Amino acid sequence: MVTEASTERFMGWPKRKDLIATLAIVALFVSISGASAQEVRSGWAMVDSGTESDLLTAEFHEGEFWAFGTGGIMISSIDGGGTWSESGISVNQDLTSSDSNFGSMAVSGNDGTILFMRDGVWTDVSTSLFGDITDIALTGNSSFVVIQQDEIWTCEISEDGSADWNSASSQGEIDYFSISFLDSDNGLVSGEKGAIMASTDGGASWEYRDAPSEVSATGIIDIEYHSSIRAYAISDEGHILKSSREGNVPVGFVWSIVEIEREYPPGGGSEFEVGGSTLDSDVSNIDVIGQFKLLLSGSSGYLAISLDGGNIVSQQMIPLSNETSFNGFAMQDGFRGIAIGENGSILRTENAGSEEFVGFEVIDFNDFGQFVDYSKERLMDGLVATAKIVIFGIIMGFSLGIILSMLKTSPTTLKNVAQTNRFQILLVFIVTPIWVLMQIPISVVKATGLAKRWNLDNPLNGVMGYCKERSLQIAASEPLNVIAIRVIGVALLAFGIHRIFSNLDDISALNLDGWEHIYSPIGAPSAVFWILFGVGMAVLGTIFLSCNGDFSIRELSLGRSNISLNPWGIRPLNTIATVYTDIFRNTPLLVQFMFIHFGFELGRRLQDPGMMLFDFDYLEGNSNFITDIFVVYETNPESLAYGRPIGGILEDRAYISAIFALGLNSGAYQCETIRGAIAAIPSGQMEAGRSIGLNYMQSMRLVVMPQAVRICIPPLGNEMVNLVLNSSLAMIIGYAEITRQGKLIVATTFQVFWTWGMVLISYFLITWTLALFLRYLEEKTRIPGLGISGGA
Amino acid sequence: MTEIILSVEDMEKTYVGGVHAVRGVSFEVKEGDSLAIIGSSGSGKSTVLRCINRLIEPTKGVVRLKGEKINTPAADINEVRSRIGMVFQSFELFSHLRVIDNVSLGLIHVRGMGREEARSEARKVLERVDMLDRVDAYPGNLSGGQKQRVAIARALAMKPEVMLFDEPTSALDPELIGSVLETIQGLAEEGMTMVVVTHEIGFARDVADRVIYMDQGLIAEDGPSSIIDEPKTERMREFLSSIND
Ligand SMILES: Nc1ncnc2c1ncn2[C@@H]1O[C@H](COP(=O)(O)OP(=O)(O)O)[C@@H](O)[C@H]1O
Ligand SMILES: [Mg+2]
């Protein structure tokens, strides 16, 4: 004879083997990770400048690159920086700064050296007015402004080549470092002690602008007036300053320090340093080549680019020794140009110096292997994202389903409501809600383990017990108070009617005609709510008003037909749950997703209060795996972004909305499934439970539910598989689950068949695993000797 | 003088939908007595039993347990029920629980016993109904007679003051009836107060101290078990002969 236990084991084994096999496949799938080597090549190429002199400044002028440096070295290239030769005119002084604009070019240097070039003709307009000139900027094809120590001068070159110098009105007393003009009128000057000044009249007069207080003690060593909406500057401590036009306030008035989030080392990669407000390297020069595209240069071989106005700065690889100091750039456009530095170094680029990732560029999306290699990471990300909303959606849907099905099967009728006495009312409307409100933080605190020391108990436990006792006593000793019920009825009726009429105005204010009124719940949500609420209250009030102590069914004869009315049999909890399930089951999930996320903005509404609840300061040091579900903070002590949320439900609004859309919808369906299962349990089970003295909730919990849950495992399993498949709709609200990842992969690879096929396989793996697990669960929880299962 | 455990005074029940199932029934059961209620199907026997432990509320009338009125909102209904054992025609065992847990469930959750205490108590009761060898089986794997004995044990475990049996053998195969009737008879001999609704006329005659014949919601005949042999009304005579065939 085969014993029961051995039969079970015999039947259980193949199922478990299935499960193990599935888990193994999933594990394999998860463990495949891409780590192919990539070769990184510098975006800068070294060119032969033909000189050993330090190059200090460079320009791109009328199709030619020019570079200037110590000892009056002056070289140019007519082939985009490839080959260089000496040209121009010869001087012996160091050439330190230059500008090219309005079809002219000006170069300045030590000992008052100023060289001016127009239409290919160089003129030496050096003057003995100055010592070493700090910087020069053109304000027209024959006019420029120079700065020297604490002086600013404008100069006009007349037809015959003579120069007309004028000292600009300026406050003086500080040394100026850099000058830059946008056009012939508007210019900026920077200097020591955080000084920034602006001119709107071609340099004749200057006014101070407010630089951020953080740089008030530092020198602003380079400034560039890039466009009418953007100017940048850098300080000698490595701050990047930025000014934008704000409304009618032009560029130059308001300056802010760019928050440097990350600094990437040369060669890219994923490791970075968090920058704070200053760059780690010694930066001496900034070149703005786009509203947000900056090139930076400095000593120790520092060349860097930022594509977002300085938030993320990536140092670039150079094909030179790291000792080389770079002194500036000359850019032909946003991509092509040169960087110049000491010992005659010239580097040339065609892509703004960005590194080339050799491994990446040659992916052949027509090769399935390479295609999979490229897309698997995205798919895995999507898989994880899908799993996350599915898991929380299932938890939420199931809890909601249980609660709703309990409401739907609850036997509480209006008769019971009318029979409640004052202590029950106190219990239901005041004591229990407060108890629950107090219980929630107590449970949270208990769950997070913040207060292991004290034994927290709800202080209202005693009050609850007393109310229960008193309400029983009253039910025993006092007859039904019909007068009181009628008074409440009148009050409810009056309240309901008042609610209806006081909100009708809001509806008529919508100016809707006829059938358009079906949309009024969206036009005036609160008014419609109050009117419906008022109607409900009025009906309730009327029923209460009709109370005469007899709760039986009324027969109403209407002509030939008899209608039986059973108003006292109305079950209010059931009604509420039915309204909920009807709404969610009679509208498409896709629209629910969009309404919840874009319309109602549930994600946004929950994010902020949630973040306040799980505030970083509060969690600091006390975060654990439960709080991590809600929000995870970055905790790098060196980082300025200390306490920035980097994970958890609250981090992503679409994530929050997706969980709720799936959970709320699934709850409505699961409610019906569970209710069906409860209904399938013979009423005798409830009676048997109650006959041994269990109360309604105990019988439900200990007798009916355990059996109902077993019955509903297969249909609930279907429901959960549905939930997984429905989760693909979350792509519509921008949540990066598998389907959305599939779309992104198609957008880059154009491999439609492969991509969607792989997405299908991913879904199949999830749902199949889930289905196997549910099958296993069903087998595990099967009640021996009950039902036909084809098994033991 | 023996105490009156259970009394029913002028009980009436009209179901939702208007069926007047019980139309004024009164009787008393003394301590240690066993009362058999017989009557044709639909005569209201089950309704009377279910009104006694308030699985349904009587429309009218008073039910007293040891003199205390129990069909008022004041009575703690769960406490009252735990003092009245009920055995159903269709057993109504909790199919997801093993035999031992079926019996100990009420002890744990109503009487507040610890798990182990409840189990050892349950074993004692299961021994009384001769089911000790199947304590770990699930109800689905028991025969009908065994199921009904477990159901009796489940009710007995609560140490009820009175036991109600609603056709305890009607769902059983003839060869299984005997063991259940023996068990009930054993209880009666031990002095358990009980009300048994049954179609087993022989059992009523041999075991019951008193027999009530119900017809259309009313008590048609009421007396010692000898009335079975000498029915006064034509209806009861017809009923008895239809059963004996
Ligand atoms: N829940 C119910 N709702 C309406 N009528 C019922 C209900 N239960 C029983 N009845 C009716 O009440 C009458 C008495 O039923 P019952 O007490 O079960 O009789 P018995 O147990 O004697 O066979 C029958 O006519 C039956 O149809
Ligand atoms: Mg019956």
Side-chain angles (χ1 to χ4, degrees), chain A residues 444-445 448 450 612-622 627:
Chain A
V444 168
V445 168
T448 52
L450 286 181
M612 255 182 249
L613 202 63
F614 293 94
D615 178 54
F616 177 74
D617 294 331
Y618 166 68
L619 285 185
E620 190 181 5
N622 281 322
T627 62

Side-chain angles (χ1 to χ4, degrees), chain B residues 26-147:
Chain B
S26 307
F27 57 82
E28 289 172 353
V29 187
K30 295 208 187 76
E31 181 165 12
D33 267 9
S34 45
L35 167 69
I37 302 181
I38 57 174
S40 53
S41 177
S43 57
K45 308 180 298 289
S46 300
T47 306
V48 170
L49 285 199
R50 291 148 68 80
C51 282
I52 291 175
N53 74 348
R54 292 180 61 193
L55 286 176
I56 51 178
E57 298 290 343
T59 319
K60 220 184 120 200
V62 177
V63 181
R64 290 181 199 277
L65 188 62
K66 282 196 169 161
E68 170 194 343
K69 187 177 173 189
I70 60 170
N71 60 332
T72 76
D76 181 345
I77 187 164
N78 300 312
E79 197 263 322
V80 164
R81 285 192 187 123
S82 74
R83 290 162 57 196
I84 304 176
M86 176 106 182
V87 175
F88 300 85
Q89 177 176 352
S90 50
F91 329 125
E92 302 299 350
L93 290 181
F94 308 136
S95 53
H96 61 297
L97 297 177
R98 292 171 197 274
V99 166
I100 185 89
D101 298 320
N102 261 279
V103 180
S104 54
L105 189 72
L107 295 175
I108 296 173
H109 293 280
V110 179
R111 294 281 184 254
M113 283 187 190
R115 205 178 152 75
E116 282 316 309
E117 190 192 352
R119 281 177 164 238
S120 75
E121 191 69 21
R123 272 170 206 280
K124 281 185 213 158
V125 184
L126 283 167
E127 192 170 10
R128 275 170 77 184
V129 299
D130 199 18
M131 282 300 297
L132 205 49
D133 52 335
R134 299 303 305 270
V135 287
D136 284 328
Y138 281 95
N141 292 340
L142 298 180
S143 74
Q146 291 173 320
K147 283 184 196 170

